Amino acid sequence: MTEMKVQVVTPDGIKYDHRASMIIVGTPDGEMGIMPGHVNVIAPLTVHEMKVYRADQEKTINWVAVNGGIIEVKQNHITIIADSAERKRDIDIERAKRAKARAERELEEAQAQHSADQVRRAQVALQRAINRINVGNK
Ligand code: ATP
């Protein structure tokens, strides 16, 4: 088997569904590359870009902003389950820039108020916005 099926599932539905010769995702231990024949695994994902080398179109690379979640690799079937995920072509960069500015303001306020919960929420929102901007600019 020289390819894998890659699906990204969110509460809004399937956001990505293609065949790949390799993918790279972000995990708490750093970037992880997965190729056909990879051992079966379930792992947490960070808010990070996913890079997909398409199996059907040589030289085509797809980028997806994956906003955390879980990856399951099972016999060359990869399923990523995330709260939200967007393909590069679907990202509204201006919206992400506004979200980034908002998250930065919220982070400052939360830090001033010593609110650990609010700090964590603002940090995650900031990571999501930065991830979208990065992917949108690929
Ligand atoms: P915003 O404050 O701009 O809504 P957010 O981080 O609060 O950003 P989420 O709650 O993560 O947004 O996502 C809500 C929905 O909007 C999801 O379906 C997500 O895919 C989509 N979405 C969020 N930001 C963008 C963006 N910049 N471009 C395209 N879709 C986006």
Side-chain angles (χ1 to χ4, degrees), residues 12 15 84-86 90-93 95-96 99 102 128 132:
D12 295 334
K15 289 299 183 88
S84 66
E86 302 87 31
D90 297 325
I91 290 177
D92 177 341
I93 296 180
R95 175 177 166 184
R102 196 163 54 242
R128 275 201 308 269
R132 286 170 178 146

Side-chain angles (χ1 to χ4, degrees), residues 15-132:
K15 289 299 183 88
Y16 188 85
D17 187 1
H18 281 292
R19 288 178 291 121
S21 55
M22 175 158 99
I23 69 161
I24 299 173
V25 290
T27 78
D29 295 328
E31 287 193 324
M32 174 164 81
I34 301 171
M35 293 172 71
H38 194 283
V39 62
N40 292 347
V41 67
I42 292 180
L45 294 175
T46 52
V47 175
H48 197 73
E49 62 205 27
M50 173 169 73
K51 188 175 188 180
V52 181
Y53 294 81
R54 290 277 292 269
D56 49 334
Q57 294 170 24
E58 211 185 326
K59 297 194 180 133
T60 298
I61 289 173
N62 292 153
W63 293 95
V64 185
V66 176
N67 298 306
I70 290 173
I71 185 169
E72 179 194 56
V73 181
K74 197 174 178 186
Q75 277 138 13
N76 290 327
H77 275 66
I78 296 180
T79 310
I80 287 168
I81 300 173
D83 275 343
S84 66
E86 302 87 31
R87 284 188 71 154
K88 169 184 153 59
R89 65 179 184 211
D90 297 325
I91 290 177
D92 177 341
I93 296 180
E94 291 310 311
R95 175 177 166 184
K97 284 183 181 168
R98 288 194 297 275
K100 177 172 179 278
R102 196 163 54 242
E104 284 167 343
R105 278 198 305 276
E106 283 165 6
L107 187 55
E108 269 184 35
E109 282 170 22
Q111 280 164 341
Q113 292 168 10
H114 303 288
S115 168
D117 268 4
Q118 259 176 279
V119 165
R120 194 181 40 77
R121 269 199 299 275
Q123 281 171 336
V124 175
L126 185 57
Q127 285 169 2
R128 275 201 308 269
I130 291 170
N131 194 30
R132 286 170 178 146

